[in-house]
Amino acid sequence: MKSSDTGMEGPLKEKRGEMIAICSSKGGIGRTVLAVNLAVALSKSNIQISIIDGDLQFNDVSLAMDLHPTFTIKDVAESIDTIDKHTLPSYMIRHSSGVKVLAAPERPEFADLIKPDVIDRVCEMLLAQHDYLIADTGVGLQENTMQFIEKADQIFVLTTLEMSAIKNTKLMLETLDALGLKHKVQLVINRSTMESAIKASDVPDILGAENPIYVPNDFQIVSQSINIGIPFVLNQGKTDIAKSVFKMAEQLISRREISLFKPKPASIFHMLFNKNKGNAPQS
């Protein structure tokens, strides 16, 4: 839709959507499940939502939404010099909810073909045309994941009550804090009602995080959702787990602020390698 079709001109073209990077320190924590369900929950507010499958080796977003994409980000990378924000949508696949997905490559070995400049340009084009861009990232702090984190307006860091998840999440949060990104981090305690020696209420103190989001455990609902490729917010909307995701979507929208395009900040990697210099007292 052109800006003239909405009766809005000028400044609209300079605004960008909000990007949310969904991360975790280890696999199997629920990044993809949260990404697709949050995206669908947001779409119910009649706003434009897109997902980029940033776990470039495994294409789990398409599986979780029962999508069979004709094109992937690999095709975008191969034509990046001729693609703009108007042609990029033709490389995406539309879910029945209205969410548009840019799929990861169909094979793991193709992940290395997706260079940083491709991710950077694709994200900017998607943000120019969508209210929210959800990035389902890879595990940990690998290079591609760090690039999504750098661009994101909010970083959702998932953990569970498992000791190994909490230990790794603490290290991840400390690293993000050292990079000056703590203000963008939102801790999400997934499967917060599961049986564990660690109580969900103890996790914020352990991790030094304030006001976490709690997502209850419902293995049956999540497993069924993945197996049939239907996000549970669509067909299990009255369950506690779906209500927790809808609440997340409502909170995002209620505080949403569309920012004007700003000059690209210093690279996170530059910050990482120069943090000692950056922390020196200023004269």
Side-chain angles (χ1 to χ4, degrees):
M1 178 179 290
K2 299 178 180 178
S3 59
S4 58
D5 294 332
T6 63
M8 301 174 70
E9 301 287 350
L12 180 64
K13 297 179 181 179
E14 299 177 350
K15 294 182 179 180
R16 72 190 290 273
E18 184 171 323
M19 182 171 173
I20 300 170
I22 299 185
C23 315
S24 69
S25 61
K26 65 190 296 286
I29 281 183
R31 292 187 319 277
T32 300
V33 171
L34 178 61
V36 300
N37 280 279
L38 180 59
V40 173
L42 285 166
S43 73
K44 289 183 175 291
S45 297
N46 295 318
I47 54 180
Q48 297 296 311
I49 310 297
S50 61
I51 300 178
I52 183 169
D53 192 340
D55 189 356
L56 298 173
Q57 291 187 329
F58 295 111
N59 200 14
D60 287 340
V61 168
S62 296
L63 177 68
M65 302 181 83
D66 192 26
L67 297 173
H68 306 279
T70 302
F71 301 105
T72 73
I73 194 171
K74 172 179 174 288
D75 300 289
V76 174
E78 291 171 346
S79 304
I80 194 66
D81 291 336
T82 60
I83 290 176
D84 59 26
K85 67 180 182 181
H86 302 294
T87 56
L88 180 60
S90 65
Y91 290 82
M92 304 177 76
I93 185 167
R94 187 180 185 277
H95 186 256
S96 59
S97 63
V99 173
K100 286 168 279 188
V101 177
L102 183 58
E106 61 270 20
R107 295 195 55 81
E109 62 265 30
F110 294 151
D112 290 339
L113 301 176
I114 316 303
K115 304 302 181 183
D117 63 313
V118 172
I119 293 174
D120 187 72
R121 187 169 175 188
V122 165
C123 287
E124 288 301 331
M125 287 189 283
L126 291 174
L127 286 166
Q129 292 197 319
H130 297 87
D131 297 291
Y132 283 96
L133 169 60
I134 309 293
D136 179 26
T137 71
V139 175
L141 296 174
Q142 56 185 292
E143 183 178 357
N144 284 337
T145 297
M146 290 301 292
Q147 191 172 7
F148 289 118
I149 286 174
E150 178 182 13
K151 295 190 70 64
D153 298 285
Q154 292 194 61
I155 307 162
F156 282 14
V157 177
L158 271 68
T159 191
T160 64
L161 303 183
E162 298 172 356
M163 181 60 73
S164 61
I166 291 176
K167 185 266 291 183
N168 291 350
T169 301
K170 186 173 181 63
L171 293 173
M172 188 176 195
L173 292 174
E174 288 173 353
T175 302
L176 294 175
D177 188 12
L179 293 171
L181 299 174
K182 184 176 182 179
H183 66 287
K184 297 202 295 187
V185 171
Q186 171 65 66
L187 179 67
V188 180
I189 304 174
N190 198 22
R191 306 170 192 158
S192 61
T193 55
M194 66 182 287
E195 293 186 9
S196 173
I198 302 173
K199 296 180 180 179
S201 58
D202 293 333
V203 174
D205 287 338
I206 296 172
L207 296 182
E210 298 179 356
N211 303 315
I213 294 172
Y214 296 91
V215 178
N217 186 41
D218 198 325
F219 176 81
Q220 183 175 352
I221 293 294
V222 172
S223 179
Q224 180 188 55
S225 172
I226 294 172
N227 288 336
I228 65 177
I230 300 177
F232 55 72
V233 294
L234 286 176
N235 63 350
Q236 300 286 347
K238 294 184 178 180
T239 59
D240 288 342
I241 189 170
K243 288 178 181 177
S244 69
V245 176
F246 280 124
K247 183 177 179 180
M248 290 174 65
E250 290 170 3
Q251 290 175 341
L252 283 171
I253 292 172
S254 68
R255 65 173 182 255
R256 174 173 175 260
E257 292 181 1
I258 300 297
S259 302
L260 293 177
F261 281 113
K262 299 177 181 178
K264 185 179 174 67
S267 166
I268 256 183
F269 301 108
H270 178 80
M271 293 166 59
L272 179 62
F273 295 125
N274 293 277
K275 63 181 182 180
N276 291 333
K277 179 179 178 181
N279 289 335
Q282 300 295 312
S283 57

